[in-house]
Amino acid sequence: MAQRNPSLSALGEFGFIDRVKKQAKSTLTSAVIKGIGDDTAVCRYSTQEHLLLTTDMHVEGVHFQKGMGGEKIGWKALACNISDIAAMGGVPKYALISIGMPSSAHTDFIHNLYKGIQKAARCFNVAIVGGDTVRDSKIVVNVALTGLVAKKHLVLRDGARKGDQIFVTGSLGNSLKRGKHLNFMPRVEEAHYLVKKYKPTAMIDISDGLIADLYHILEESGVGARIEENNIRKAPGATLEQAFYDGEDFELLFTVKKRDAQRLLKTSQPFSFIHIGEITDKKKTCVCVMKNGQEKKLQRRGYTHF
Ligand SMILES: [Mg+2]
C-alpha cells in the first residue's frame, strides 16, 4: 500500500512530478496542448505557431560550486533552457532571470553570473525581459524561458513508433569531469535542420543521461528500444557505463521514420548525427546489443534529485 505521507526520497523525483502532474491537471484549459511531461509546455499562440514555456533552477552546492566561476554558471543556467526549447523544434525568445543570494555574496560573482547569462542570450537572440531578486542562504538561479515553434515543426516525446531509428547529436559521458556541462552549445541549429528536413517523430535533450532520457521517450510513446554498443560514441575518457548513465550532455536524442533515417544516413550532413539503434514494440524496455552479440536489458536509472 502506498504511504500517505512519504518523504521525498521515498517518493523519488519522478514520483513527486507525477503527483504534481495530477494536481495540475484540473487547472488545464483547451489552450494547453502539452502540460507537464515534455521538455517544455506547449500552448496555443497563433494560427502558425505554438508558445513554448520552460524553467530550470540551479542551486549552489547542488548544481554548481562558486569556484566554477560565475560566467560559466550563468551560461549554463540559460543554455539548458535553450536546449529544452531546441528539443521541441522551437526558437527561444524571452527570459526571466530570478536570483536568490546571501547578503555576503560577492558582487563580482553575481556580475559574472549575469555576464554568462547575457552571453548565452546574445548568442541565441534571447531577450532578457525581467525577473526577481531575493535574499537566500545560498546562491540560487532560476531561469524561465519562452519560445515559439511553427506548428508543423513541433516534436514531442510521444511520437516514436516501432521501426523508427534512434539518433544522437554527439558523443556522450563524462560531461561533468570534462567541464562540458558548463560550456555546451545547445543544439538549436541541429534541431531546426532536423525539423525542416527529417521531421523527427520524437525528440528530447539529454540532461538525465542517455538511457534515462531514452526511457522518457519510450514511456511517452509506449514503445521499446534496441541500441547497439558498437554505435555508441563515447566522449573522451568516458566508459560505456558513463555514456549510458551520466547526465548533462545536452545532446539531442531523437527518432525518425526508417525511410527518413536511410535518407539521413545516405546524405552528407552539416552536423554529426549518430545512429544508435531502433524502436521496438517491447513496451518500456531498452536493450543493448553488446559487442559479443548478446542482448542486455538496460535498467532505467540516471540522476534524480531525491
Ligand atoms: Mg529536457
Side-chain angles (χ1 to χ4, degrees):
M1 202 173 107
Q3 271 178 277
R4 272 192 144 195
N5 186 18
S7 65
L8 277 175
S9 60
L11 199 58
E13 180 182 356
F14 294 109
F16 175 73
I17 293 173
D18 272 346
R19 278 199 174 186
V20 175
K21 200 172 165 180
K22 275 180 200 140
Q23 287 175 318
K25 212 173 170 185
S26 66
T27 69
L28 300 182
T29 65
S30 59
V32 182
I33 293 161
K34 186 82 205 177
I36 298 168
D38 215 297
D39 290 90
T40 77
V42 186
C43 298
R44 291 188 201 287
Y45 180 73
S46 70
T47 51
Q48 301 291 319
E49 292 170 307
H50 290 315
L51 176 67
L52 305 173
L53 301 109
T54 185
T55 186
D56 243 303
M57 186 142 55
H58 293 260
V59 179
E60 181 189 347
V62 179
H63 302 92
F64 65 87
Q65 314 295 337
K66 268 190 275 187
M68 289 171 172
E71 196 173 328
K72 284 181 177 172
I73 295 159
W75 171 275
K76 179 183 181 177
L78 181 53
C80 63
N81 284 278
I82 295 172
S83 179
D84 278 324
I85 299 276
M88 309 299 285
V91 180
K93 295 302 273 187
Y94 305 108
L96 300 165
I97 315 290
S98 298
I99 297 200
M101 55 197 154
S103 359
S104 60
H106 288 285
T107 50
D108 265 7
F109 180 85
I110 306 296
H111 173 76
N112 286 331
L113 188 80
Y114 271 104
K115 213 164 129 185
I117 293 172
Q118 195 185 16
K119 201 167 139 190
R122 285 219 180 114
C123 196
F124 291 94
N125 291 318
V126 170
I128 298 167
V129 294
D132 194 11
T133 314
V134 295
R135 188 173 52 161
D136 204 339
S137 56
K138 47 191 168 185
I139 296 172
V140 178
V141 190
N142 185 76
V143 177
L145 181 66
T146 68
L148 291 174
V149 61
K151 282 182 179 176
K152 60 180 181 186
H153 291 156
L154 175 69
V155 189
L156 300 174
R157 295 176 180 177
D158 63 4
R161 296 293 176 263
K162 184 188 171 190
D164 287 0
Q165 302 297 302
I166 311 168
F167 291 81
V168 289
T169 51
S171 59
L172 301 170
N174 214 14
S175 170
L176 267 68
K177 224 175 184 174
R178 293 164 59 229
K180 183 187 175 189
H181 71 120
L182 290 172
N183 61 18
F184 65 94
M185 280 301 273
R187 301 298 190 192
V188 176
E189 279 187 58
E190 288 83 345
H192 291 167
Y193 178 81
L194 286 168
V195 294
K196 281 177 195 152
K197 294 219 161 197
Y198 296 99
K199 185 65 187 157
T201 51
M203 186 149 68
I204 188 169
D205 68 327
I206 301 178
S207 53
D208 298 334
L210 171 67
I211 303 305
D213 286 314
L214 180 53
Y215 267 108
H216 288 311
I217 288 182
L218 302 186
E219 195 156 81
E220 291 290 321
S221 299
V223 291
R226 187 190 303 110
I227 59 174
E228 309 245 351
E229 180 184 2
N230 278 331
N231 294 358
I232 304 294
R233 200 174 296 170
K234 293 173 277 188
T239 62
L240 183 66
E241 183 80 1
Q242 288 172 318
F244 280 166
Y245 295 107
D246 280 1
E248 308 220 327
D249 268 309
F250 297 105
E251 297 294 344
L252 294 173
L253 167 65
F254 62 95
T255 57
V256 292
K257 289 200 186 316
K258 206 168 200 169
R259 60 168 188 275
D260 288 330
Q262 281 162 349
R263 197 158 56 85
L264 192 154
L265 290 166
K266 272 186 199 154
T267 327
S268 86
Q269 302 292 342
F271 304 106
S272 135
F273 299 124
I274 304 152
H275 179 223
I276 64 163
E278 72 174 348
I279 295 294
T280 67
D281 55 5
K282 284 190 181 159
K283 280 191 179 180
K284 299 180 201 171
T285 306
C286 178
V287 296
C288 182
V289 181
M290 305 305 288
K291 279 191 173 143
N292 62 13
Q294 287 188 337
E295 273 192 9
K296 183 181 164 189
K297 191 175 173 214
L298 298 176
Q299 297 305 321
R300 179 183 193 159
R301 63 186 156 90
Y303 184 80
T304 60
H305 279 281
F306 307 115

